[in-house]
Amino acid sequence: RRGVKQNGARLFAVAARSTDFLRVGIDAERLDREQLLRVRERYLSAPELTLVDAESLEANAIAWTAKEALYKAALTPGLDFRTNIIIDKLPALHQNPADHKSPVPIYGEAHINFPDGRQLPFTLYSYESEGCCITIAYSPKCAKFGRNANADN
């Protein structure tokens, strides 16, 4: 699948290919989007509401972009963000990923509950670029992102 996401004054172009066995999704959102704090109950489940700091724009931007990236990776229209798309562990926002001196990223974990009963796990990687949070959701058989990508999470 290919897509272009217009994000306010920012434009990100992304190309990714998903199959039934290798899934990937990506989303970008401005880190200063305060609306995410007001609508978090619409996209986060009860356990996720405790996982994601209610006052942190950064944490809510990571959660929102994770949900959107997971939805895109699912390739299944109509999934509910609160019941079908679940964040188990929120990733940390990786600052300056191109800088070899930046800390090793902290990955997140999620899963999708499909209507047919299947459950598919995902790894989440979030980084900051030009004032935006970019999150990539990928199935475990896909490549790792960031420095030390061969190391365990």
Side-chain angles (χ1 to χ4, degrees), residues 26-106:
I26 187 167
D27 192 59
E29 186 61 66
R30 291 186 328 268
L31 282 164
D32 63 356
R33 188 169 177 214
E34 292 188 20
Q35 180 183 3
L36 295 174
L37 299 177
R38 293 190 299 272
V39 298
R40 60 194 307 264
E41 292 82 10
R42 294 182 191 170
Y43 63 89
L44 295 175
S45 66
E48 291 168 338
L49 287 169
T50 61
L51 178 69
V52 179
D53 181 352
E55 297 179 15
S56 170
L57 273 173
E58 180 177 297
N60 283 276
I62 293 169
W64 172 254
T65 56
K67 292 279 189 161
E68 283 281 332
L70 288 158
Y71 185 83
K72 293 169 186 173
L75 301 174
T76 305
L79 293 177
D80 184 84
F81 276 37
R82 290 177 293 172
T83 59
N84 296 116
I85 301 171
I86 308 300
I87 299 170
D88 301 306
K89 177 185 170 193
L90 201 64
L93 190 67
H94 193 191
Q95 304 287 336
N96 304 316
D99 180 357
H100 70 280
K101 294 179 183 177
S102 70
V104 175
I106 298 173

Side-chain angles (χ1 to χ4, degrees), residues 91-149:
L93 190 67
H94 193 191
Q95 304 287 336
N96 304 316
D99 180 357
H100 70 280
K101 294 179 183 177
S102 70
V104 175
I106 298 173
Y107 295 92
E109 298 170 2
H111 65 275
I112 296 173
N113 297 318
F114 290 93
D116 64 5
R118 289 178 300 133
Q119 188 177 84
L120 186 61
F122 282 85
T123 299
L124 303 171
Y125 171 66
S126 295
Y127 67 96
E128 188 274 331
S129 178
E130 299 182 28
C132 292
C133 171
I134 293 92
T135 299
I136 302 166
Y138 56 95
S139 58
K141 294 183 180 183
C142 288
K144 302 266 187 216
F145 294 87
R147 282 189 311 111
N148 297 332

